[in-house]
Each structure stands twice: as structure tokens, then as C-alpha cells.
Amino acid sequence: MKKFPHAWMHTAVFAAALMVALPLALPSAGSAWAAPGAHGPDGEHLDAPGAAARPDGLTRLPDGSVQVPMASQRLMGVRTVLAQPTQVPQTSELPGRVVLDPNAGARVQSPVAGQIEAGPGGFPVPGQRVRRGELLAYVQHLPDPIGAASLQAQLAELRAAQALAEQRWQRLRGLEGSVPRREIEAAQSELQSLQARQQALAVGQRPRVALRAPVNGVIARAEALAGQVVESRDVLFEIVDPARLWVEASTADVALGQRVAAATLVGVPGVRLELLGTGAAMRDGLLPLLFRARLMPPTAATSPASPATPNPAPTQLPLALGQPVTLIVQRTDTLQGFVLPAEAITRNPANQPVVWIKSGTERYIPQPVQFSALDAATVVVHEGLGTDNRVVVRGAALLAQIR
């Protein structure tokens, strides 16, 4: 009977300790009670660790989708469209480079080996506009020493022979009437022949050769410096018409040239390409295709301040000679797909192309797709989308950055 109060005291102390520890072990008032494997209304795992709350309300859910409040959607400029399938031409992506139009450009080469000298106005610089026949530079002829000595010896012999022939002709002219006429004419003909030979040799001894622009255009490349020694056929200047350039592409498909419907350049807006033709021989296993670059016609937009005066149209192609470019060639054969702006395609952490689909008022899901470029600013998705998908066409890159 003496031990009963002692046991009762131990039980009371244990109960009191349990009541103190129980609130610490239980979830807070705002926590969700869920058994393992429980799911919420949107399919998320309630037993999984939730994403950290952010002041702006943006949340990356465990399944990869994102939760974006309406206010944030407006700030991010998110826009969606309902995907509609359509028939579009198939495309091919080709590497290319900008080349010279042979009918509107020129290469100025040195006709002889010699030393470069500037003209009265100095050397032309890249970007300077020149006119046909304009002086660009001089090439001071530097002949071979042995050849120069031989030329001087021949000229000396011709001068001596010319002097003797002139004396003989003058003497026969003084004896005209007593000597046959044919001897006087023969002496005159010999003198004229020696003079012509001397002049021909003197032309090869010209001190310098003038280099002039063969066409109107702009200096694209200048490789001339004062005192520079060049060889014959060295290219010193290249002249181009900036409004007339060609693009040369290459492909391993020999039949592609017969199926080209249109072509554009990636990253070069406002330029369209017209197919000129395809090569008849392959180079390094590739067939060349030639396109003429054209400026697209300007839009009818006018300035608000002066509605009657349209914006001035550019007159120069935004291309440079030798520039590497990428062509999107549309073919005559077609396929069915969903046409979207190129900015609708983003990449997931696995580097797969995805589009963002709106599945609720504030929820967006990344959907892996397969696509091909339709032109420089548009793509066609041919796998991964359905007709009931509302796709993000603006602001997709910002959704992909939510973490």
C-alpha cells in the first residue's frame, strides 16, 4: 500500500510529458494530412516535399509543370493559341555562304609583279563607293635584273640601227632622181620598222601600271599598302554591289534542286532567296545550289507624324561577302503539322525540345515534341501535339526559367 502512490505519480508524470510532446510532433494547423501515395486535385503528390513558397507565387511542381498566378502571367506577357493542324511544305536546312555576283562585282588583280604605289587620292578603303574607271592604285613594275639588262641591250642596238637607217634614208632622199625610187622607199620602210620595234620594247619597260575600277560598286576588300611587293595575278581589291549578292548552298541530295519552292535565311529578316540553278558536278561530295538574294518589299506602314510619307526602304542587303549563313529551303512535298512561332520551342533539362501547354487557369505543362523549321521565324510541330492543346506562343522562355 505504500508503493501505490509512488506508481501513480510515475504515471501522471508520463502522461503530462506525452501531452507536451504531442503538439510538437503533429503538423501545423495549415499542413495537409495525407497517407503515402495520396494525390491532390491536379495530380501532385501530397506526401512529397513541396516547393518553397515564393513572394511572386511562381511554383515549379514535382511533375515539372509550373504554377503561374494570373498577375504574373500578365507581367510575363504569356499568350496562347489553340493548336490547329495544317498542310505545310517540308523543309531542309542547308549551310551556305555569301558569294560575289559576277555580273555586278569585280576583282582587281595586279597584271605584273611590282611595288604598290598610291594614287593622288590615296588608297580606297573598305566601304568606300567607287565608279567605273576610277584610279585605285599604281603598280611600279619591278622586272628581273637579267631580263632588264637584256632589254636595255636590245634597245641600245635598235637605237643605233635606227640612227644608221635614218642617215641612209636622208642621204637617199638627197639623191632623189639619181637613185631608183624603190631604194628610197626601202630605206624609209626599214626606218619605220626599227621605230616600231623600239616602241614595242619601251612599252614593256613602262615605269608603272594604273589599276582602275572595272565596275561601279563598293570596296569590299582592300589588300594594298604603300611599298607592298606583289606578284602577278594577286588580288588587291574586291568591288561588290551591296544590293546584288548571291548565296551558294550545298547539299548531298542531287534531286533537291528540282523540289525547291522557296528559301529564307536564318537570322537575316527581310531577305528572300530566288533559286538561280544547281551545279552539274559535285564538289567534295556535295552539289552547289545558287540563290539570288533579294530585299523583301517594304510594308505599307507609315509614320504617325507624317501619314503620307512611308518609311524609306533599305537599298543594301544586310549581308557581307563570304559570310556563312544557314538556309531554310521549303520543298514542294508537304506534311501535316502544327505551325507555331519559333519562340514557342524551348528546351527542358534533358535538352529535349518542348512546348508549354496550358492545362488550367494558372498551370502550364512542358510537352516534348518533334519539329522542323518552316522558315527563319516559324516551325512546324509534327509529333507531340493534339488538336485540343492550347500552346504558349509567347513567354515560353520565361516559363522555362521558373525553378
Side-chain angles (χ1 to χ4, degrees), residues 344-356 366-371 400:
I345 306 294
T346 60
R347 297 278 175 173
N348 62 11
N351 201 31
Q352 295 175 322
V354 298
V355 297
W356 289 87
Q367 173 65 31
V369 295
Q370 293 186 12
F371 73 98

Side-chain angles (χ1 to χ4, degrees), residues 158 162 166 190-200:
L158 288 175
Q162 179 184 350
E166 187 172 3
E190 182 182 0
L191 176 61
Q192 292 175 350
S193 174
L194 292 172
Q195 289 175 346
R197 291 174 59 188
Q198 185 178 353
Q199 290 175 1

Side-chain angles (χ1 to χ4, degrees), residues 61-366:
L61 300 178
D63 61 352
S65 62
V66 295
Q67 197 80 17
V68 185
M70 294 299 296
S72 298
Q73 294 183 35
R74 288 190 293 269
L75 291 175
M76 297 165 64
V78 177
R79 297 291 182 271
T80 61
V81 297
L82 192 62
Q84 296 293 335
T86 182
Q87 288 291 126
V88 294
Q90 296 196 36
T91 60
S92 299
E93 186 173 313
L94 304 178
R97 62 186 181 94
V98 180
V99 297
L100 190 68
D101 182 350
N103 300 313
R107 288 190 178 99
V108 181
Q109 299 174 275
S110 174
V112 296
Q115 194 171 26
I116 300 297
E117 292 182 0
F123 293 116
V125 296
Q128 178 178 336
R129 186 169 291 275
V130 295
R131 302 185 65 84
R132 182 176 182 178
E134 183 176 340
L135 178 64
L136 303 178
Y138 289 106
V139 179
Q140 181 72 34
H141 182 52
L142 297 177
D144 178 68
I146 298 178
S150 176
L151 182 61
Q152 291 292 342
Q154 293 181 35
L155 286 173
E157 293 177 0
L158 288 175
R159 292 192 191 99
Q162 179 184 350
L164 293 176
E166 187 172 3
Q167 292 177 4
R168 180 171 179 271
W169 177 62
Q170 292 291 350
R171 185 170 59 253
L172 291 176
R173 284 185 60 190
L175 299 175
E176 189 175 359
S178 60
V179 295
R181 179 69 182 175
R182 62 176 180 276
E183 292 187 13
I184 300 177
E185 293 177 351
Q188 183 180 9
S189 178
E190 182 182 0
L191 176 61
Q192 292 175 350
S193 174
L194 292 172
Q195 289 175 346
R197 291 174 59 188
Q198 185 178 353
Q199 290 175 1
L201 289 177
V203 170
Q205 204 182 23
R206 288 182 299 180
R208 60 184 183 182
V209 179
L211 301 180
R212 300 185 180 275
V215 295
N216 298 332
V218 174
I219 298 293
R221 187 178 67 165
E223 300 291 343
L225 294 174
Q228 176 184 356
V229 177
V230 297
E231 296 293 334
S232 175
R233 296 183 296 181
D234 282 354
V235 178
L236 301 178
F237 301 96
E238 278 189 342
I239 304 174
V240 301
D241 185 346
R244 299 175 61 182
L245 291 172
W246 288 2
V247 175
E248 183 184 87
S250 55
T251 178
D253 185 1
V254 295
L256 180 60
Q258 307 298 326
R259 294 179 289 147
V260 174
T264 56
L265 295 176
V266 176
V268 188
V271 176
R272 61 184 175 90
L273 301 179
E274 299 176 357
L275 180 64
L276 294 174
T278 60
M282 303 188 76
R283 295 182 307 194
D284 299 328
L286 297 175
L287 191 70
L289 284 79
L290 278 178
F291 297 85
R292 177 184 286 114
R294 296 285 195 185
L295 285 172
M296 290 184 180
T299 59
T302 58
S303 174
S306 56
T309 305
N311 295 328
T315 59
Q316 180 174 333
L317 289 167
L319 299 171
L321 195 63
Q323 174 184 348
V325 292
T326 301
L327 289 77
I328 302 297
V329 176
Q330 296 183 8
R331 307 198 301 263
T332 53
D333 46 337
T334 62
L335 78 162
Q336 188 170 12
F338 301 88
V339 178
L340 299 173
E343 61 179 320
I345 306 294
T346 60
R347 297 278 175 173
N348 62 11
N351 201 31
Q352 295 175 322
V354 298
V355 297
W356 289 87
I357 298 175
K358 187 173 185 178
S359 65
T361 306
E362 298 182 348
R363 190 182 181 199
Y364 296 89
I365 300 175

Side-chain angles (χ1 to χ4, degrees), residues 18-45:
L18 181 61
M19 294 178 64
V20 172
L22 185 59
L24 299 178
L26 293 176
S28 60
S31 301
W33 286 78
H39 293 75
D42 291 329
E44 65 271 20
H45 292 276

